[in-house]
Amino acid sequence: MHSDPKRLRELPRSLSLRLLGSVPMGRIVFTMNALPAIRPINHVVVDGDVVMRCHGGAALLHAIGQVVAFEADQIDPETRTGWSVIVTGKAERVDDADQAARYRLLLRPRVDLDMVHVVRIRPELVTGYKLIENDENGHDAVA
Amino acid sequence: MHSDPKRLRELPRSLSLRLLGSVPMGRIVFTMNALPAIRPINHVVVDGDVVMRCHGGAALLHAIGQVVAFEADQIDPETRTGWSVIVTGKAERVDDADQAARYRLLLRPRVDLDMVHVVRIRPELVTGYKLIENDENGHDAVA
């Protein structure tokens, strides 16, 4: 998948999910109107799942039922070092009231009536990698 | 597209492209093996096009010929303010030697033999928005 062995070091699944859970925001990738769509969104990682919430009219609702990707990273644009984690899995709406309430609490301990929907991704694929320094050449981040 | 008018203020195309060009890194979204794929990557904006480069074995090469999305943002995870710009358009490989050389120079003024391919997106859709503060409620970023 990542074919520049000099710069990318693959990370184990557990560490990847831990890194993903260590930042407050990532980007969800899905299809909307037959076009690729991406949205920055706050998330938490709970029991290995990626959990977000959104309001009733959000573009993200298009993602429900789709196999989506979710990516978060911390990359220094100068040194081009850091990490990136991508999970792929089906996005589902959490309809169980108790479970949704628990997730909402973890996402932000504040009443916010507009953010009605809780969306969860159960990762099937988890790809994490560390970007390491390259002595001689400045390679462009990842890809 | 973005349906929470309290928090999102749409930006004109020219300002959106200027913002996109003001940061060194974004994320390209494409399809690989029938799954949604996303990669962080360095970019420049040249004459309104988004230009990246990659090495010969890069996953990004899958994107060539596809309609892809490219997103960059600057969002403060605490205040949840900032901006996000998404362009959608066809990704193409730049094969013209002079043009590719010019782009390479803009991407990084350094000899780097491994980054052989130059990929350009000609934006058809440009969506930029500013995330503004919300006095009462803390809404989750975008989506």
Side-chain angles (χ1 to χ4, degrees):
Chain A
M1 206 151 157
H2 305 296
S3 45
D4 186 355
K6 284 172 292 181
R7 291 221 59 224
L8 300 174
R9 189 166 297 157
E10 220 171 311
L11 301 173
R13 181 183 174 110
S14 58
L15 175 57
S16 297
L17 287 173
R18 208 154 67 231
L19 287 170
L20 192 65
S22 73
V23 292
M25 209 185 80
R27 285 145 199 100
I28 186 168
V29 172
F30 54 104
T31 302
M32 190 166 62
N33 306 325
L35 288 173
I38 172 171
R39 292 288 182 283
I41 189 166
N42 291 107
H43 73 287
V44 288
V45 174
V46 186
D47 305 331
D49 294 333
V50 179
V51 181
M52 299 140 286
R53 59 181 187 175
C54 63
H55 58 89
L60 175 59
L61 293 179
H62 287 264
I64 291 169
Q66 288 183 27
V67 174
V68 304
F70 186 88
E71 190 262 359
D73 56 57
Q74 280 195 312
I75 300 172
D76 183 320
E78 289 310 312
T79 63
R80 302 174 188 213
T81 56
W83 57 265
S84 171
V85 171
I86 301 161
V87 305
T88 310
K90 201 170 175 180
E92 57 187 24
R93 193 166 62 193
V94 178
D95 288 322
D96 180 86
D98 290 345
Q99 207 163 38
R102 178 180 165 235
Y103 285 145
R104 274 199 197 91
L105 213 65
L106 293 167
L107 276 157
R108 201 180 176 100
R110 189 193 297 207
V111 179
D112 185 350
L113 293 175
D114 280 0
M115 306 302 273
V116 283
H117 300 296
V118 176
V119 178
R120 176 175 56 202
I121 305 168
R122 293 194 183 277
E124 278 166 43
L125 299 171
V126 177
T127 311
Y129 49 88
K130 201 175 155 185
L131 290 103
I132 53 174
E133 206 124 19
N134 197 316
D135 296 336
E136 290 297 299
N137 299 317
H139 287 256
D140 285 6
V142 197
Chain B
M1 206 151 158
H2 305 297
S3 46
D4 187 354
K6 285 172 292 183
R7 290 220 60 226
L8 300 174
R9 190 165 296 159
E10 221 170 310
L11 302 173
R13 181 184 174 112
S14 58
L15 175 57
S16 297
L17 288 173
R18 208 154 65 231
L19 287 169
L20 191 66
S22 73
V23 292
M25 208 185 79
R27 286 145 198 97
I28 186 168
V29 172
F30 54 104
T31 302
M32 190 166 62
N33 307 324
L35 287 173
I38 174 171
R39 293 290 181 281
I41 188 166
N42 290 105
H43 72 287
V44 288
V45 175
V46 186
D47 305 330
D49 295 332
V50 179
V51 181
M52 298 140 285
R53 59 181 188 174
C54 64
H55 57 91
L60 175 59
L61 292 179
H62 287 262
I64 290 167
Q66 287 183 27
V67 174
V68 304
F70 187 88
E71 191 263 357
D73 56 57
Q74 278 194 314
I75 299 172
D76 183 319
E78 289 309 312
T79 62
R80 301 172 189 216
T81 57
W83 58 265
S84 171
V85 171
I86 301 162
V87 304
T88 311
K90 200 168 176 183
E92 57 186 27
R93 193 165 62 194
V94 178
D95 288 322
D96 179 87
D98 290 345
Q99 207 162 37
R102 178 180 164 233
Y103 286 144
R104 274 198 198 91
L105 212 64
L106 292 168
L107 276 157
R108 202 180 175 98
R110 191 192 294 206
V111 179
D112 185 350
L113 292 175
D114 281 359
M115 307 301 274
V116 283
H117 300 295
V118 176
V119 177
R120 175 175 57 200
I121 305 169
R122 294 194 182 274
E124 277 165 43
L125 299 172
V126 177
T127 311
Y129 49 88
K130 201 173 155 184
L131 289 103
I132 53 175
E133 208 124 16
N134 196 315
D135 297 335
E136 291 297 298
N137 301 313
H139 287 256
D140 285 7
V142 198

